[in-house]
Amino acid sequence: MSREADAIVSTIIAKWCAGFASLDAAALSSLYSNNAFFFGSNPKLYRGRDGVADYFSGLPRWRKPRAVFSEVNAAQAGPDLINMGATISFDLAGERDDLVVKMSWVIIREDGDWKIVNHHASSQAPLI
C-alpha cells in the first residue's frame, strides 16, 4: 500500500467505524460520494448518499455495534482513485451472531475530499 493510500484508507476506516459504533446514518453517508453504489448485507443496490443513509437507518438498533477491519489492502489506481479490500468483523455484543464479511471500496477524490464511490460486501464463506 502506498503511504498516501494507506493514510487515506486509514482515515476513512476510522470515521466509518466511529459512525457504525453509534449507527449514525448521517455520519456514515457523509463518507460516500453523491454517485455511490452500495451493496451491503442485503441484495438491494442503494445509490448516492441518500441511499446509503437509508441503508444504515434501516439497520437494527444494536446497543453496542462494533466493526473491526483486518487484512486491509489498498492500491492507488490513479491520482484520484484508490481500491481497497478488507475483511470486516462485526461484533454485535451478543444481540446476534457476529458477522464477518469481505468488503471492497472504490474511493475517489470528489470536490477535494476522498469519498467511497463503490461499496460491496460479500460473504466470507465460499458460495460455490
Side-chain angles (χ1 to χ4, degrees), residues 24-73:
D24 185 339
L28 287 160
S29 66
S30 75
L31 301 174
Y32 290 81
S33 166
N34 290 319
N35 299 303
F37 278 16
F38 183 104
F39 276 115
S41 58
N42 66 49
K44 180 177 177 182
L45 172 63
Y46 295 86
R47 296 183 69 157
R49 285 192 187 129
D50 289 343
V52 173
D54 288 346
Y55 172 83
F56 285 111
S57 293
L59 290 178
R61 301 288 99 188
W62 300 297
R63 288 180 302 237
K64 290 186 176 187
R66 189 170 79 108
V68 177
F69 284 67
S70 62
E71 302 174 46
V72 177
N73 291 281

